[in-house]
Amino acid sequence: MARSPEELGVTRSAGVRGKLLPVLPALLLLIGLLVGLFTPRDVRPDAFLATAMVSAAALLPLWGTVLIGVGGCAIFVGLMVDFNGLQDPTAYSELASLVAIAAFAVFFNRLLGRHAHQLVQVRSVAEIAQLAVLHPVPRHLGHVSLESLYVAAAAEARIGGDLYEAIRTPYGVRLLIGDVRGKGLFAIQTAATLLSAFREAAHDAPDLPHLACRLETSISRHASQYPGAPGSEIAERFITALLAEIPDDEPVVRTVTCGHPPPLLLHHGEVRELEPAAPSPPLNLGMLAGDGYHVDLAPFHPGDQLLLYTDGVTETRDRSGAFYPLTERIRSWSGEAPHHLLDHLHHDLIAYSGGALDDDIAALVARRRASR
């Protein structure tokens, strides 16, 4: 998997930090010991020893936290014995404080471990739910090679409202990419409804306008199931979507755009936006589509690639607030295979945003292969 130089720098620095942080508690114990040995007797090492215990709770496993706690108390007792400090009554109160901090560190470590285990379980459930909604896209469908990318903005949840699908039908390979307005459970429910409708209707809808009408009907029915429709979150939820059809026997691609960003056509190093001649409104706003759905046609020869994406890609910002220049960036990778192209795109988005992706991202690449 290729990585950009910027991301490699971030990865290396994160790896170095990951290796150094677990050493911090032991280093603090050493500093406390040196302070106790080489400073005046009225300078006590308690602060360093206590900090070592607390940091161990966050950075080390249970056995490491216990070891640091016992070691800190042992260092303090050893220093007091060496300097005859046990005759000082305050030494006992300081020792009692360190023992209490060590006990709290062990308790805190167990609490963090329990929460970490719960987070792993939540992530596992979210991944299963994601797979149930977004099926893995086949690498090959007929004369088309495919690759997909999905990155949820809520990294802990790993699930969001962006969606895509690719299906082999009697009319060729049909593609869908969409973006549900809003976040959370309602967005996921709406995305699941649209995907289910597409998987069913794509096989028998005679053309893309009929397919778009079927999807509009399904989403409208889904929204109507919720009472208090006017003003309700479900009723007002819409989906920007793009439908594409790559027939087996013609070197073309047909698209219907429903309020979605236009796809990019990659042809011999050139990148062109396939702007719709008559864009349609997003799904669940079908009452605005007075003239029906318009089909756009573009050449799509062997070796050409089609990039479908959600607005999370083009709305990624750098630190100055500038939007990600997708058309400009993708040109240098246009000759790559679909999975390499999306690898480059993913890593470049991370580097461009400084690792702060704040919206869901979905992308789908289709490449026409030569007929055998």
Side-chain angles (χ1 to χ4, degrees), residues 26-234:
L27 181 61
L28 289 170
L29 284 188
L30 178 61
I31 293 174
L33 177 60
L34 295 177
V35 167
L37 290 175
F38 299 107
T39 60
R41 294 186 180 182
D42 56 343
V43 179
R44 300 291 179 87
D46 307 30
F48 293 100
L49 302 180
T51 305
M53 296 173 184
V54 175
S55 62
L59 300 175
L60 299 179
L62 179 61
W63 65 267
T65 304
V66 172
L67 190 61
I68 292 295
V70 172
C73 294
I75 288 174
F76 182 82
V77 172
L79 290 173
M80 292 302 100
V81 170
D82 187 47
F83 296 125
N84 296 320
L86 292 179
Q87 297 176 1
D88 184 356
T90 59
Y92 293 97
S93 64
E94 293 174 0
L95 177 60
S97 298
L98 286 176
V99 171
I101 292 173
F104 170 77
V106 171
F107 169 77
F108 186 57
N109 179 273
R110 292 294 302 274
L111 190 63
L112 287 177
R114 187 176 304 142
H115 287 172
H117 179 68
Q118 291 174 346
L119 180 58
V120 169
Q121 290 181 319
V122 169
R123 283 180 171 177
S124 177
V125 172
E127 287 174 353
I128 294 172
Q130 186 71 62
L131 288 174
V133 175
L134 281 182
H135 299 169
V137 172
R139 288 290 183 89
H140 303 288
L141 287 176
H143 298 313
V144 179
S145 297
L146 298 161
E147 192 64 44
S148 60
L149 170 68
Y150 183 85
V151 181
E156 306 305 334
R158 300 188 179 183
I159 192 166
D162 288 13
L163 57 100
Y164 52 77
E165 185 58 285
I167 295 178
R168 179 80 183 275
T169 75
Y171 309 97
V173 176
R174 286 180 168 175
L175 310 174
L176 165 69
I177 193 164
D179 186 358
V180 181
R181 172 185 176 268
K183 306 289 182 184
L185 182 59
F186 287 154
I188 298 167
Q189 290 175 339
T190 307
T193 299
L194 179 60
L195 286 169
S196 297
F198 176 77
R199 289 162 184 156
E200 178 64 26
H203 292 280
D204 52 30
D207 52 38
L208 291 185
H210 281 86
L211 178 56
C213 288
R214 293 273 295 271
L215 300 182
E216 170 67 28
T217 300
S218 295
I219 293 301
S220 299
R221 286 173 178 168
H222 172 67
S224 68
Q225 298 300 311
Y226 294 84
S232 71
E233 186 177 4
I234 291 290

Side-chain angles (χ1 to χ4, degrees), residues 138-339:
R139 288 290 183 89
H140 303 288
L141 287 176
H143 298 313
V144 179
S145 297
L146 298 161
E147 192 64 44
S148 60
L149 170 68
Y150 183 85
V151 181
E156 306 305 334
R158 300 188 179 183
I159 192 166
D162 288 13
L163 57 100
Y164 52 77
E165 185 58 285
I167 295 178
R168 179 80 183 275
T169 75
Y171 309 97
V173 176
R174 286 180 168 175
L175 310 174
L176 165 69
I177 193 164
D179 186 358
V180 181
R181 172 185 176 268
K183 306 289 182 184
L185 182 59
F186 287 154
I188 298 167
Q189 290 175 339
T190 307
T193 299
L194 179 60
L195 286 169
S196 297
F198 176 77
R199 289 162 184 156
E200 178 64 26
H203 292 280
D204 52 30
D207 52 38
L208 291 185
H210 281 86
L211 178 56
C213 288
R214 293 273 295 271
L215 300 182
E216 170 67 28
T217 300
S218 295
I219 293 301
S220 299
R221 286 173 178 168
H222 172 67
S224 68
Q225 298 300 311
Y226 294 84
S232 71
E233 186 177 4
I234 291 290
E236 295 181 353
R237 189 172 301 282
F238 61 83
I239 307 174
T240 66
L242 177 75
L243 297 170
E245 180 181 273
I246 305 172
D248 295 334
D249 54 355
E250 297 180 74
V252 298
V253 59
R254 302 183 181 97
T255 56
V256 166
T257 304
C258 300
H260 200 79
L264 298 182
L265 178 63
L266 285 58
H267 173 75
H268 295 311
E270 298 179 357
V271 179
R272 179 164 66 97
E273 277 193 354
L274 299 183
E275 289 284 357
S280 301
L283 300 177
N284 204 30
L285 297 177
M287 72 291 294
L288 302 177
D291 297 330
Y293 295 94
H294 177 79
V295 177
D296 292 285
L297 187 70
F300 195 58
H301 298 282
D304 290 353
Q305 299 194 91
L306 188 70
L307 173 63
L308 287 64
Y309 57 92
T310 58
D311 60 9
V313 175
T314 50
E315 293 181 0
T316 296
R317 297 174 183 262
D318 63 11
R319 293 177 181 175
S320 68
F323 289 117
Y324 182 74
L326 175 62
T327 303
E328 174 187 327
R329 296 292 186 109
I330 210 73
R331 185 172 289 110
S332 60
W333 315 316
S334 60
E336 299 277 358
H339 65 283

